[in-house]
Amino acid sequence: MASSAQPPPAAGSSGPDGGSLAGGGETFGDRSLSQGLSVLVGLGLCVAMLGLGCAVELGQLGQQLRRPVGLLLALLGQFVAMPLLAFLLALIFALDEVAAVAVLLCGCCPGGNLSNLMSVLVDGDMNLSIIMTASSTLLALFLMPLCLWIYSRYWINTAVVQLLPLGAVSLTLGSTLLPIGLGVLIRYRHPRAADLLVKISLWSLLVTLVVLFILTGTMLGPDLLAQIPASVYAIAVLMPLAGYALGYGLATVFKMPPHCRRTVSLETGCQNVQLCTAILKLTFSPELIGSMYMFPLLYALFQSAEAGLFVLAYKMYGRDSYKQDTLGEEEDTDISYKKLKEEEVADTSYGTVTTEEHNSIQMEPTQTAL
């Protein structure tokens, strides 16, 4: 296992940085606070998956399965486009094996519940958003280890990839099925409680990420962020942005309406960072992963900021046109209905209509007694 001590130095941009990363990893593993951090990661993931299950209605699920467009989009977006994007970015920026594994893990993760909240804010298709998130989570049980195995072949001769715990990844994914199933059951029997749990899960996402960022930075030292290579920061910025663009293009190919395109865009770019964080924390030793444990947290930061900018742009420029498109038909119907009623009222107030011959209409004025 002497070779397993080599990956941490490669995570930094130079030898001294790599040495400090390894030391930080050892400190991270030795401190008792690390156990509490592991518990926090596990609880955050369970709450997120419970909230996801509470958002799924069996009737909508059956309807989507009869027309599996959402399932197909989740498959293409989360397990074709995003893993390939992560792999290409790792090659373009010439990442070392530790950083590449962290990026690939994030790229192969299913959709996260952040996209459900963002879809509401941009007037998207909420049913499509939930179905895509749920189906990608279930598909991840089989496709995520497969994608990791395929795209990690480029770094096969490195210690980190040789020790890539695909079995532990599958076990972590399998453990998410229980809270999802429990959430579906709660939605079926107690809809009001399910609505409350959905809101709690969305807030817990924000709280968990903030706490993880603070605790990890404290435990690994104040120089942690400075030890992460600039190329990793660039990928954390570009990857969600490119994911949003790929998702919108994918929905355009399927000729979906604008509100569905926005939904698919957010679903593709928003990854389940809680799951990625849990896998890195629970399946890799700190000596191996080093500061790359922070990558999903950085990704969450930038994916939220970029999605927030999209929401702001939509609220400022796109919402009026969306309302005109959706209300146009209703306005036309109201106008025609009003004109019809006005014509009926006008005819009645003038007099009665009698028909004497074919195509001959004569108006008989009504006389009012004085």
Side-chain angles (χ1 to χ4, degrees), residues 113-304:
N113 51 5
L114 175 66
S115 59
N116 305 141
L117 174 62
M118 294 299 178
S119 295
V120 174
L121 297 179
V122 296
D123 298 319
D125 189 332
M126 193 60 185
N127 291 335
L128 177 62
S129 176
I130 293 172
I131 291 300
M132 287 187 65
T133 304
S135 59
S136 66
T137 302
L138 296 177
L139 289 172
L141 184 63
F142 308 100
L143 295 182
M144 186 176 176
L146 177 62
C147 290
L148 285 173
W149 181 83
I150 292 174
Y151 288 108
S152 65
R153 297 300 91 191
Y154 183 82
W155 297 273
I156 188 61
N157 293 325
T158 60
V160 175
V161 174
Q162 290 175 354
L163 297 175
L164 187 63
L166 295 178
V169 171
S170 299
L171 183 61
T172 305
L173 288 167
S175 65
T176 63
L177 297 180
L178 180 60
I180 291 176
L182 179 60
V184 173
L185 181 61
I186 293 175
R187 164 62 65 181
Y188 179 73
R189 293 189 175 181
H190 308 285
R192 292 184 178 180
D195 293 335
L196 178 61
L197 289 173
V198 169
K199 295 179 181 179
I200 292 175
S201 68
L202 292 175
W203 279 106
S204 70
L205 169 64
L206 176 62
V207 173
T208 302
L209 292 177
V210 171
V211 173
L212 284 176
F213 201 92
I214 294 175
L215 289 181
T216 305
T218 301
M219 294 168 65
L220 289 178
D223 297 331
L224 171 68
L225 297 179
Q227 296 170 356
I228 299 177
S231 58
V232 175
Y233 281 100
I235 292 178
V237 173
L238 294 176
M239 191 169 161
L241 189 63
Y244 295 141
L246 287 173
Y248 197 90
L250 184 62
T252 303
V253 171
F254 278 79
K255 298 181 180 181
M256 304 189 76
H259 70 289
C260 290
R261 295 179 188 179
R262 295 191 295 270
T263 303
V264 176
S265 174
L266 291 169
E267 281 293 328
T268 304
C270 289
Q271 304 298 96
N272 192 335
V273 292
Q274 304 103 305
L275 178 60
C276 185
T277 302
I279 291 175
L280 288 174
K281 179 68 179 69
L282 302 176
T283 62
F284 287 96
S285 66
E287 294 80 7
L288 281 176
I289 204 64
S291 66
M292 288 303 104
Y293 171 75
M294 294 291 291
F295 179 77
L297 303 180
L298 292 175
Y299 188 94
L301 176 65
F302 289 113
Q303 82 171 3
S304 302

Side-chain angles (χ1 to χ4, degrees), residues 22 24 26 32 43 124 148 161-162 173 198 226 264 323 331 340 364:
E26 292 173 359
S32 59
L43 287 177
L148 285 173
V161 174
Q162 290 175 354
L173 288 167
V198 169
V264 176
K323 287 183 177 180
E331 291 175 355
L340 178 62
E364 296 180 357

Side-chain angles (χ1 to χ4, degrees), residues 12 44 57 59 67 79-81 105 107 124 131 167 208 221 253 255 263 350:
E57 294 186 4
R67 294 179 54 199
F79 302 108
V80 176
L105 271 172
I131 291 300
T208 302
V253 171
K255 298 181 180 181
T263 303
Y350 182 80

